[in-house]
Amino acid sequence: MLPVEPDGGIGDGAGPLEVEADTIPAAFLGVWDYVEGTCNPASDLRVEITPRGMQFYESYGEVTRVEVDSPRRIVVSLAMEGEGEKWQMTRLFTLSGDGGTLTPKPVDEERFEPMPLKKCE
């Protein structure tokens, strides 16, 4: 006999591919810098990721939505503010298998070359 899921479906273990959250998962938190960077606070590619926000070199983004595709892949929507301006930004973040490299990629019309980030101590 197969167990029954709370929604009445069969208990085959399959769940939704995407889960929404209001905070960034723990594996993505911390200070990150370009893989060839120094992790110095003055680095213009350094980012500090907290559960509810991201501090970039000259801007800050407050989390408005997190889509968790897998334990190593999330899409984060941010309400950005910096240098007297405000805008919305969405990024796909992919974490390496060992958790030591984070690669951001564009999601919307913005285009840039993905630059992998390393975890700073």
Side-chain angles (χ1 to χ4, degrees):
M1 181 170 156
L2 290 172
V4 176
E5 299 285 336
D7 66 358
I10 62 169
D12 60 4
L17 296 176
E18 191 175 283
V19 176
E20 282 190 42
D22 58 356
T23 59
I24 296 172
F28 296 84
L29 304 180
V31 177
W32 301 83
D33 196 6
Y34 179 58
V35 292
E36 295 177 14
T38 64
C39 291
N40 185 305
S43 172
D44 60 353
L45 294 176
R46 186 177 185 268
V47 60
E48 183 173 350
I49 302 175
T50 66
R52 303 272 320 140
M54 293 188 183
Q55 179 67 55
F56 297 91
Y57 180 65
E58 294 181 333
S59 61
Y60 177 77
E62 182 177 334
V63 172
T64 58
R65 179 178 176 182
V66 179
E67 298 170 35
V68 181
D69 288 342
S70 76
R72 302 235 173 254
R73 186 176 150 118
I74 61 174
V75 176
V76 180
S77 298
L78 301 160
M80 298 295 298
E81 189 169 336
E83 298 184 346
E85 307 239 350
K86 293 183 180 187
W87 67 97
Q88 300 296 314
M89 182 173 82
T90 303
R91 291 279 186 278
L92 166 68
F93 291 94
T94 304
L95 196 58
S96 64
D98 67 1
T101 305
L102 183 65
T103 305
K105 294 182 182 174
V107 173
D108 48 25
E109 65 279 347
E110 181 184 17
R111 297 289 168 233
F112 61 86
E113 188 68 30
M115 298 181 81
L117 307 170
K118 65 181 175 185
K119 187 109 182 211
C120 299
E121 298 296 321

